[in-house]
Amino acid sequence: LNALPKQEASRPDAVVFDTNVWSSGRFNADTLKSRATRLGKAGIKVLIPEVILWEWASHSAQDAKNGIDSWRRLAKAGLVSGSYPGPHNHVDVLERLGEFLAKIPNIQIVPGSGDAAIAGLRDQVLQTGPGSTKQGVKTGAADSTWVRDVLKAVGDDPAKVNFVSGDVKGVRGTCQELGVTNPRIVTEHELFTALFAFDPAPASVTRLVTDHLLTTF
């Protein structure tokens, strides 16, 4: 009651979540569904680059392997029986993730493109854009690729998308390589504050509302 919403024009058309925003890089079904529903009510699409989907599948596949190992130990102890009910490998995990996402409204998968993949590989090899070296290993191709794919999906207009990431450096590096000097990058915690921020209402409006409530109740 004591604030006025900012203009709708400041909101982007889409939001993209980086791999690292939830559960140490693990896919979080309930959280994504909740975010997609809330953003959908505001007319904001959730974009999921294919590269990020692969990364989620890779992380969850490791959890699946741990689950298989635990299941076998429980079976030897006579505590469970039958085959392990979860996914067994990367392909199984990726297939199940795809089936789940297909059922969520307001989700759009952004296919990976060859041009973005080549540019991403170049950034990693030449250490440009988000390219970096960690413990002697060159990285950065994945970040470079999916950021390029997202920008292409929004018509190369960075104002149309909010990047939600725990790795601001990686996203910003690719954007700068493409000449985007001020990309919209926020953490998951900051997202809704940034999208639905409120400016304080004038004191006169606050007094009017307060007087009305006191008079009525």
Side-chain angles (χ1 to χ4, degrees):
L1 293 175
N2 64 347
L4 299 175
K6 290 185 176 179
Q7 294 182 354
E8 295 285 337
S10 65
R11 293 182 186 172
D13 293 342
V15 164
V16 56
F17 293 99
D18 198 350
T19 311
N20 53 37
V21 294
W22 305 308
S23 309
S24 300
R26 264 61 175 178
F27 179 74
N28 192 313
D30 289 340
T31 300
L32 177 61
K33 188 174 182 179
S34 172
R35 301 295 185 267
T37 299
R38 184 174 178 185
L39 290 168
K41 292 178 180 178
I44 301 173
K45 178 74 69 176
V46 174
L47 303 180
I48 298 182
E50 193 172 17
V51 173
I52 287 181
L53 189 57
W54 294 342
E55 290 185 325
W56 276 334
S58 176
H59 295 160
S60 294
Q62 181 59 51
D63 295 333
K65 181 181 182 304
N66 295 337
I68 293 172
D69 293 340
S70 296
W71 184 271
R72 288 172 177 167
R73 288 193 293 270
L74 290 171
K76 288 181 179 180
L79 299 176
V80 298
S81 61
S83 301
Y84 175 65
H88 287 72
N89 51 46
H90 292 74
V91 176
D92 287 347
V93 172
L94 186 59
E95 182 178 350
R96 294 198 185 192
L97 283 177
E99 292 173 352
F100 174 79
L101 292 173
K103 298 176 182 178
I104 302 180
N106 199 42
I107 293 286
Q108 177 183 334
I109 303 297
V110 179
S113 66
D115 289 344
I118 292 172
L121 181 59
R122 182 192 64 216
D123 280 342
Q124 178 167 309
V125 173
L126 298 181
Q127 296 288 273
T128 54
S132 62
T133 301
K134 298 178 180 179
Q135 297 180 342
V137 178
K138 291 183 177 180
T139 65
D143 284 340
S144 180
T145 300
W146 73 257
V147 171
R148 293 171 188 273
D149 284 332
V150 166
L151 288 173
K152 182 179 179 181
V154 296
D156 294 316
D157 185 351
K160 291 184 176 180
V161 61
N162 265 35
F163 295 94
V164 183
S165 177
D167 180 19
V168 174
K169 182 180 179 181
V171 177
R172 192 180 301 281
T174 302
C175 290
Q176 289 177 342
E177 185 77 9
L178 294 172
V180 178
T181 57
N182 192 29
R184 294 183 169 194
I185 310 173
V186 297
T187 64
E188 211 271 347
H189 177 71
E190 298 168 335
L191 174 62
F192 289 109
T193 301
L195 292 178
F196 307 111
F198 286 82
D199 287 330
S204 58
V205 175
T206 303
R207 284 196 299 270
L208 285 173
V209 174
T210 302
D211 291 344
H212 171 73
L213 292 175
L214 289 174
T215 301
T216 304
F217 301 102

